[in-house]
Amino acid sequence: MKNIIFWLRFSVLNFFMVSVLGVLMRYKIAFSLPMVDQKHVQEAHSHFAFYGWITQIIYVLIIRYLQGILSEEQLKKYNVLLIVNAVSAYIMIPSFIYKGYYWLSIAGSTAALLTSFVFFFFLLRDLKGKRDLIKSWFLGGLFFAVISSAGVFMLSYMMMSDNVTQTLYLASTYYYLHFQYNGFFIFSCIGFLLLSLRNIGAEISEKDNKLIFWLLFFGTLIGYGLSVLWMKLPLWIFIAIVLATIAQTIGAVKLYMVVKQNWTKVVLSFSALQRFVLMYVGFAFFAKIMLQLGSNIPVLSQFAFGFRNVVIAYLHLILLMCVSVFLLNQILATNLFKMTKPVITGLKLLLLGIFLNEAVLGIMGVLSIKYVAVPFSAEILLAVSLLMMFSLLLIFFSLKKKSL
């Protein structure tokens, strides 16, 4: 695809737009802004983060992977899907801010969701018969994106029919979120990680690839139960959930071992900053796996779902510290842009901002056990969001194409 540079830069712009909405939310919490409905801004922020930023860049990076497999003519249809997804995502911002869930915002989110169906179908068809270990991760990720739609359709039905029950609303929300960030996002990122390793001569064996994939796949599929442990579940279902969590943990450890075994090649091929980002993301992924494992303990599970700050901290751990940082680094690692000092500075400031954001949210979550409030927490989080926003703005404007 000839316009890959445009789509990569456009994705960074979308990440910046996510941060702008985040700043707006943080400002309203810290100060008065009567004209803005916080819930509506939150809906715009989360939907655009999912579709405008993460989904969009995953599509772009998958298409770049396909450039070595398919012809330019075959790639044209994927370019159309990028346009449809981008337009749908940008419809969500004003429509959700204006009125929350109503026909236009639902139309935008539905169009983006259906785009994932078509993307999955095209990818499944175009990769049929192709022997490549990486393709299972992208197809597995898109499979989870497709099945996550059941949660969205249920939420939309409840909103449109004005028939909302709290239990079904929460179960549908967590269903959608789980299969998006634990399924679609994580599986796609692992695919890009293994592709990066292959590009430096560190390809995973077919045996290890299959084992890790299926451990994580079934672990994720059954692991949805972790999101609904607050419901009264039969003992056998609880046991299945525990086993699924253990399977995910084993898969994650084996993935870590693959990276560790090839660390010498990573050191020789990646810059010091790239290696730091890989460790930064790895730490976040490790924390995610440990938190999942710990949430099987009923007391910890009740704590996690009982305090809003804990839920927000966990979501940001995965979506920001793990997935978003990794995907941004993948953009920079394409070797299509100049790694100038402003770009490097922007990346370092972003890493700092995300770490501080997670640290403050984590402290607030822990202290909330004793109902202790962190002084000036709203103002601190606003300052951190501004840091992240300006760092992304710096990266975007400094991102220049390498001269041939």
Side-chain angles (χ1 to χ4, degrees):
M1 193 170 64
K2 296 176 181 177
N3 55 353
I4 193 78
I5 296 284
F6 165 79
W7 284 116
L8 290 170
R9 291 191 81 246
F10 180 72
S11 298
V12 177
L13 174 64
N14 290 354
F15 194 5
F16 166 72
M17 290 300 299
V18 174
S19 70
V20 171
L21 292 169
V23 167
L24 183 58
M25 289 170 59
R26 290 299 176 193
Y27 181 88
K28 183 168 173 60
I29 293 172
F31 306 101
S32 176
L33 195 62
M35 65 182 73
V36 175
D37 185 296
Q38 180 75 346
K39 187 179 179 182
H40 292 170
V41 178
Q42 181 183 328
E43 288 165 349
H45 173 73
S46 59
H47 279 78
F48 191 79
F50 273 47
Y51 292 109
W53 158 234
I54 300 178
T55 297
Q56 186 80 15
I57 186 56
I58 286 175
Y59 287 169
V60 174
L61 292 172
I62 288 177
I63 292 169
R64 187 166 187 268
Y65 154 77
L66 291 174
Q67 282 182 314
I69 301 173
L70 306 178
S71 66
E72 283 293 326
E73 188 64 31
Q74 289 175 299
L75 290 173
K76 284 183 179 178
K77 59 182 178 289
Y78 292 100
N79 192 66
V80 174
L81 294 181
L82 285 180
I83 296 170
V84 173
N85 186 74
V87 171
S88 303
Y90 270 93
I91 286 173
M92 295 180 208
I93 296 178
S95 59
F96 273 111
I97 290 176
Y98 168 64
K99 203 175 178 180
Y101 279 96
Y102 73 114
W103 70 267
L104 184 57
S105 59
I106 291 174
S109 54
T110 303
L113 197 62
L114 293 178
T115 301
S116 68
F117 287 27
V118 181
F119 199 102
F120 178 51
F121 170 75
F122 283 158
L123 194 65
L124 195 62
R125 186 185 64 181
D126 288 341
L127 292 180
K128 187 177 181 181
K130 308 282 185 184
R131 288 189 59 81
D132 189 358
L133 299 180
I134 309 296
K135 75 174 189 179
S136 59
W137 293 99
F138 299 141
L139 290 172
L142 282 161
F143 166 79
F144 285 123
V146 168
I147 67 170
S148 74
S149 63
V152 174
F153 291 138
M154 179 56 70
L155 286 170
S156 300
Y157 170 76
M158 285 190 288
M159 294 294 181
M160 294 294 283
S161 64
D162 201 24
N163 182 27
V164 180
T165 59
Q166 184 68 7
T167 301
L168 191 56
Y169 177 86
L170 288 175
S172 300
T173 301
Y174 290 141
Y175 179 92
Y176 167 72
L177 290 174
H178 170 77
F179 287 118
Q180 282 283 316
Y181 61 72
N182 284 322
F184 179 36
F185 300 163
I186 294 294
F187 273 64
S188 299
C189 286
I190 293 174
F192 296 133
L193 171 64
L194 296 177
L195 186 59
S196 297
L197 291 176
R198 185 169 74 184
N199 290 339
I200 62 171
E203 186 161 11
I204 187 173
S205 68
E206 184 174 355
K207 181 182 177 182
D208 284 343
N209 188 70
K210 277 186 177 180
L211 180 60
I212 295 169
F213 177 83
W214 289 115
L215 282 171
L216 293 179
F217 184 88
F218 286 113
T220 301
L221 201 62
I222 302 169
Y224 163 64
L226 284 173
S227 302
V228 289
L229 283 179
W230 41 271
M231 299 173 68
K232 292 182 179 180
L233 302 173
L235 180 61
W236 69 270
I237 293 181
F238 177 72
I239 292 171
I241 294 168
V242 172
L243 292 175
T245 313
I246 294 170
Q248 275 188 299
T249 305
I250 295 171
V253 170
K254 287 189 172 294
L255 180 63
Y256 163 75
M257 293 305 297
V258 168
V259 177
K260 184 182 177 182
Q261 288 163 8
N262 292 285
W263 192 250
T264 303
K265 292 179 180 178
V266 171
V267 171
L268 292 173
S269 305
F270 291 4
S271 68
L273 183 57
Q274 285 178 314
R275 295 197 302 272
F276 176 78
V277 171
L278 189 58
M279 290 186 288
Y280 184 95
V281 171
F283 169 78
F285 185 64
F286 171 77
K288 166 198 175 308
I289 294 296
M290 290 299 99
L291 288 170
Q292 277 183 187
L293 197 59
S295 63
N296 285 297
I297 302 170
V299 175
L300 292 179
S301 177
Q302 289 171 12
F303 165 69
F305 289 102
F307 295 92
R308 187 170 181 270
N309 286 329
V310 177
V311 175
I312 295 173
Y314 180 70
L315 289 175
H316 279 83
L317 174 73
I318 300 173
L319 299 178
L320 259 181
M321 200 171 185
C322 187
V323 173
S324 291
V325 170
F326 179 81
L327 292 173
L328 181 61
N329 190 57
Q330 285 290 297
I331 294 174
L332 301 178
T334 57
N335 208 29
L336 296 172
F337 302 101
K338 297 176 183 177
M339 285 301 290
T340 58
K341 190 174 181 179
V343 172
I344 294 171
T345 301
L347 180 57
K348 288 178 179 178
L349 289 174
L350 180 65
L351 295 176
L352 175 63
I354 290 174
F355 176 78
L356 291 174
N357 182 74
E358 195 60 35
V360 174
L361 287 172
I363 291 169
M364 290 170 65
V366 172
L367 292 181
S368 62
I369 302 172
K370 297 293 184 180
Y371 299 98
V372 175
V374 177
F376 304 107
S377 59
E379 290 80 4
I380 293 170
L381 286 171
L382 173 60
V384 170
S385 349
L386 283 167
L387 174 62
M388 290 189 285
M389 184 184 76
F390 285 120
S391 65
L392 285 166
L393 190 63
L394 178 60
I395 292 172
F396 175 71
F397 280 114
S398 305
L399 212 53
K400 305 299 180 186
K401 179 184 175 182
K402 272 188 176 179
S403 52
L404 298 175

